[in-house]
Amino acid sequence: MDRKTFLRTSLAGAAALVAAPGALVSCASPKEKKSSTPLHLSFQEGLTPGESLAEKFDFMESLGITGFEPGGNGLAGRVQEIREALQGRDIKVSAICAGFDGFILAEDPAVKAQFDTTMREIVRAAGELGSTGVIMVPVFNWQNPALPHTLETRDYLCQQMHDLGEFALSCGTTVILEPLNRKEAFYLRLVSDAAAICRDADSAGVKCMGDFWHMQEETSDYAAFMAAGPYLQHVHIASRGNRVMPGEDGDKDCYTDGFRALKELAYPNYVSFECGCRSDDRAATLTAAVDLLRRQWDEA
């Protein structure tokens, strides 16, 4: 078909579409049904008011919080304590927040060995607690000497993550890669990069997460979570200006774009508070933050 014939045919087709009532209806997106995916909120241990675990869990239950995120440091020695404190409650251990020594991309074999030993100890305890996984960062900017940021290092990381993921599976849990902003960890900044490492690690025990604070590196919260897809295992949340409680930074604290993606993914796990608090009344500020997130979840 020559150019003149193509243009004549195209214009005729366009005119027919304009003339036909309802001709474009089939191209419109169907009205979206309201998602039935629930919002599962989690608190980190140090954030929650209360002196004892029992007091912390009482406060969490009063707000309908169903996830508890402890730190990994010394976790193996706390398994029984946490189990007993959770008995009869509608709260489960969500992710475990790091707590290991060393780092996986250390040049020094002794530092790498520290990571291997302590990380596996935490993973084992996480499995005993029914945790969704142990959060880890491959290397922070301040950790030196570290392997160079090359393709060979990425291949090495994928192999190491495969081995660690398989160990986590044997313990009944996962390991969760966390991308950070460039000021904290230049090596891994985007959720899509973390998801690609999960894919190339080739182990169902390797997952990733998104953190609304660090995701200011992203061009879109929605796209970041959708890129993670089936690898998304955990989410952290904080205010978007000063990393305090959601809502403490006013209008900046809008999460509906990301929440819409989580709903479309039917995300089954936790959105966990990792933040500070500007207010002297932590209980009231947490209550307001929970209300804000539930309202935005409904709006998403």
Side-chain angles (χ1 to χ4, degrees):
M1 183 185 293
D2 59 31
R3 183 171 180 272
K4 186 179 294 185
T5 304
F6 170 76
L7 289 173
R8 186 167 59 247
T9 304
S10 299
L11 289 171
L17 281 174
V18 171
L24 296 179
V25 171
S26 62
C27 296
S29 298
K31 186 176 181 180
E32 291 184 8
K33 295 181 179 179
K34 191 172 180 66
S35 171
S36 60
T37 302
L39 173 62
H40 300 293
L41 292 175
S42 169
F43 285 171
Q44 286 191 335
E45 182 171 3
L47 181 74
T48 310
E51 295 297 321
S52 65
L53 279 181
E55 290 176 355
K56 291 177 185 292
F57 292 159
D58 285 344
F59 177 80
M60 290 167 61
E61 284 187 326
S62 74
L63 296 182
I65 304 302
T66 57
F68 170 63
E69 183 181 324
N73 188 26
L75 186 67
R78 301 186 62 203
V79 169
Q80 190 59 32
E81 173 201 3
I82 294 172
R83 276 178 171 170
E84 289 177 357
L86 287 174
Q87 280 185 356
R89 297 184 184 269
D90 189 25
I91 299 172
K92 292 181 171 58
V93 176
S94 59
I96 307 299
C97 192
F100 47 84
D101 297 322
F103 59 105
I104 198 170
L105 292 182
E107 272 192 356
D108 186 339
V111 177
K112 172 60 164 56
Q114 279 185 319
F115 169 82
D116 289 337
T117 301
T118 57
M119 181 65 170
R120 280 164 172 75
E121 182 180 83
I122 296 168
V123 168
R124 197 176 292 112
E128 292 175 15
L129 288 168
S131 167
T132 56
V134 181
I135 299 168
M136 60 171 288
V137 175
V139 55
F140 287 90
N141 289 342
W142 51 267
Q143 289 179 311
N144 288 296
L147 297 174
H149 190 27
T150 63
L151 181 59
E152 289 74 18
T153 297
R154 187 185 185 280
D155 291 342
Y156 169 80
L157 176 61
C158 289
Q159 181 56 56
Q160 291 293 306
M161 293 304 300
H162 172 85
D163 295 345
L164 189 55
E166 292 299 292
F167 175 77
L169 283 179
S170 73
C171 296
T173 189
T174 69
V175 288
I176 306 171
L177 286 169
E178 180 176 17
L180 305 181
N181 66 66
R182 70 189 66 206
K183 293 180 180 179
E184 293 188 37
F186 183 80
Y187 187 89
L188 185 62
R189 295 185 297 108
L190 302 179
V191 175
S192 58
D193 290 338
I197 291 173
C198 293
R199 176 199 63 203
D200 294 345
D202 193 27
S203 169
V206 179
K207 302 291 186 180
C208 67
M209 63 173 287
D211 182 313
F212 276 101
W213 165 256
H214 294 296
M215 280 165 54
Q216 293 177 85
E217 293 276 342
E218 307 277 358
T219 56
S220 163
D221 294 338
Y222 177 89
F225 285 136
M226 294 303 286
Y231 302 112
L232 187 66
Q233 189 79 347
H234 196 60
V235 174
H236 275 162
I237 200 162
S239 76
R240 313 208 75 169
N242 297 287
R243 207 178 187 182
V244 287
M245 295 281 184
E248 286 197 288
D249 281 332
D251 291 342
K252 287 183 180 179
D253 296 343
C254 181
Y255 310 96
T256 52
D257 189 47
F259 282 175
R260 183 164 57 91
L262 296 181
K263 281 185 162 185
E264 290 183 19
L265 290 168
Y267 173 67
N269 295 319
Y270 296 91
V271 176
S272 190
F273 282 59
E274 184 183 60
C275 53
C277 182
R278 186 184 294 126
S279 170
D280 292 332
D281 191 342
R282 182 180 294 260
T285 307
L286 268 170
T287 301
V290 168
D291 289 343
L292 172 71
L293 297 187
R294 286 178 174 150
R295 184 167 64 251
Q296 290 192 9
W297 184 265
D298 289 340
E299 293 169 357

